Amino acid sequence: MFVDRAKITIVSGKGGNGAVSFRREPFVPEGGPDGGDGGKGGDVIIQADSGLRTLMDFKYKKKYTAENGQDGMRKKRFGKAGQDLIIRVPQGTVVIDQETGLIMKDLTEPGESFVAAKGGKGGKGNVHYKNSVRQAPNFAETGDPGRERVILLELKMIADVGLVGFPNVGKSSLLAAATHTSPKIGNYHFTTLTPNLGVVKFPQTSFVMADVAGIIEGAHEGLGLGLEFLKHIERTKVLIHVVDVSGSEGRDPLEDFEKIMKELEEYGHGIMKKPMLVAANKIDLLGGEDSEEYLKFKDAVEKQGYPVYPLSAPIHYGLKELMQAALNKVNEVNANPPEIDDREYFDFEKDDHDPDYRVVKVYKDGNVYVAEGKQLSKIFNSTNFNDFGSLRYLYKYVENSGAIRKMKEMGLEEGDTIRIEDYEFEYEEEFQE
């Protein structure tokens, strides 16, 4: 089964907690702190693998989690970092962040990779909290949580030349004749249910050609196989528009040409900017290139700026000339690469430096004053509520953040209740050791 779309959840490893421990030495208060830092959580890395052809593996497994960092240890020993998780996907996979809809990475090169979710930072051990006043800190920092996000994987074929056109016009036959591949071919619509690739070889070079599933009217809106395969055309450098010039399906060749062109234009994504050759296939059924029907079709299409090549794929008539023209166009594109990618990408730098991380927000819930914040939550979870020094460290952070001042502006008075997470305490004007 050819699977070219998948949605998975990735979770990076949690950072290890800092350790609370004390040296066993005489004349040192509480033995002196020597708790080590926690290890960093493992990253989730997405890597392109040229040996994969489909996203089938992600059809059944939906969640991928990296290893957590190890907690810190006594004697200032650091916890071991969590092992990174490498998720391998086919070359040509676009990774999209579902929440923002932005592209995280377009993996077009074999072995190309990126960090899709960074592991949490390890927490500091209690050795870091010793000062002239606090000689024996009985608390340490918890590790940062891992990052969880839902990502969309979308596989787009990487081919130099793409074959487009109505179903049953001979695209598969052309691919078979030009590349010596053996795609399934039959006399019915939608023979090609999955894209096929083949290599067109020349004495000194070659190019990859793809047979894209047949397009029908309304394909850009998802009708037929529609969007399932239109996206595979996006990466191609050159298009060959295959038309059944004999009208063997009972359709008018010129109308077929115009309808497919309209679908490509409606789909957008820069497809109409690609060089296009038109293959007038099944020319033998018309009696050759001198037939009135062919000349009428050729004249109308070439007036629109597209060169027309007569073709009969099964008997290789006109095949060499068409493939040479395609190679010339591929070489032209390679010599003059398209404009810079103008797609909108995910901002990893902004994601790594959350401007709201240290912000403490305050509001009233009935008669209770509530304080919330990402860093506040981390400090709260690191607090030893049986230790006065640890409680004071939490309180001082709340005070220094400006939260107490904001609460006073809202009417906070001594004896009122302040809540952080699920912990409530009474506010005292003089909270000191």
Side-chain angles (χ1 to χ4, degrees), residues 146-364:
R147 300 297 299 271
E148 179 173 339
R149 56 170 42 109
V150 178
I151 60 174
L152 307 176
L153 304 176
E154 188 172 279
L155 175 59
K156 297 180 182 180
M157 290 189 309
I158 298 178
D160 298 299
V161 176
L163 304 178
V164 299
F166 266 97
N168 212 23
V169 296
K171 298 189 301 299
S172 296
S173 297
L174 173 55
L175 182 72
T179 67
H180 305 291
T181 57
S182 301
K184 181 181 178 183
I185 300 173
N187 187 29
Y188 49 88
H189 286 182
F190 297 115
T191 297
T192 304
L193 297 178
T194 64
N196 292 308
L197 291 172
V199 179
V200 180
K201 296 180 180 179
F202 289 83
Q204 302 297 326
T205 186
S206 64
F207 64 79
V208 177
M209 188 161 69
D211 169 18
V212 180
I215 303 171
I216 63 172
E217 286 184 89
H220 71 279
E221 297 175 339
L223 297 182
L225 296 178
L227 301 177
E228 294 286 334
F229 294 108
L230 270 171
K231 62 177 176 288
H232 291 296
I233 306 172
E234 292 180 34
R235 294 193 193 279
T236 57
K237 299 171 183 176
V238 178
L239 298 179
I240 295 180
H241 187 162
V242 184
V243 180
D244 176 5
V245 76
S246 73
S248 62
E249 291 285 305
R251 300 190 304 265
D252 179 81
L254 191 56
E255 286 185 8
D256 276 7
F257 174 80
E258 298 292 353
K259 288 176 180 178
I260 294 297
M261 295 298 287
K262 181 180 179 182
E263 291 304 318
L264 297 179
E265 183 177 9
E266 291 287 344
Y267 180 68
H269 298 276
I271 288 180
M272 294 301 291
K273 296 180 181 179
K274 298 178 184 295
M276 179 183 290
L277 309 176
V278 179
N281 197 26
K282 305 185 183 182
I283 188 72
D284 54 318
L285 299 182
L286 286 178
E289 299 177 45
D290 295 329
S291 67
E292 182 179 346
E293 293 90 340
Y294 169 70
L295 293 174
K296 178 182 177 182
F297 173 82
K298 183 175 186 292
D299 180 63
V301 172
E302 290 191 341
K303 281 182 179 179
Q304 297 183 44
Y306 301 104
V308 178
Y309 293 83
L311 178 72
S312 180
I315 62 174
H316 290 206
Y317 180 84
L319 182 64
K320 181 178 179 181
E321 292 78 9
L322 176 61
M323 292 300 100
Q324 184 62 57
L327 176 62
N328 294 341
K329 287 295 182 183
V330 169
N331 290 337
E332 288 178 15
V333 174
N334 289 339
N336 299 283
E339 298 176 2
I340 297 174
D341 187 357
D342 59 356
R343 293 177 294 178
E344 191 173 359
Y345 283 81
F346 188 81
D347 190 341
F348 281 96
E349 184 175 352
K350 181 180 179 181
D351 186 62
D352 289 340
H353 300 89
D354 186 350
D356 294 330
Y357 183 73
R358 292 180 174 81
V359 175
V360 177
K361 299 177 181 178
V362 299
Y363 62 92
K364 287 191 71 174

Side-chain angles (χ1 to χ4, degrees), residues 137-150:
N138 198 28
F139 61 96
E141 186 181 41
T142 58
D144 285 347
R147 300 297 299 271
E148 179 173 339
R149 56 170 42 109
V150 178

Side-chain angles (χ1 to χ4, degrees), residues 418-430:
I418 297 176
R419 183 168 69 226
I420 301 173
E421 301 273 335
D422 57 355
Y423 178 76
E424 295 185 349
F425 62 92
E426 288 187 1
Y427 171 66
E428 298 179 13
E429 289 288 350
E430 297 294 332

Side-chain angles (χ1 to χ4, degrees), residues 23-84:
R23 299 195 305 274
R24 298 294 181 261
E25 296 179 20
F27 312 114
V28 179
E30 296 274 349
D34 72 347
D37 297 350
K40 176 184 173 297
D43 297 335
V44 178
I45 299 170
I46 313 289
Q47 184 177 63
D49 187 334
S50 59
L52 298 176
R53 292 287 180 268
T54 174
L55 297 171
M56 171 65 88
D57 290 347
F58 305 101
K59 184 176 178 64
Y60 304 103
K61 185 177 179 180
K62 298 293 186 180
K63 190 169 185 177
Y64 296 79
T65 306
E67 187 178 40
N68 293 334
Q70 186 181 22
D71 291 343
M73 294 167 281
R74 60 188 305 268
K75 296 185 178 180
K76 300 181 183 179
R77 288 179 296 171
F78 283 24
K80 181 181 177 183
Q83 186 173 357
D84 294 338

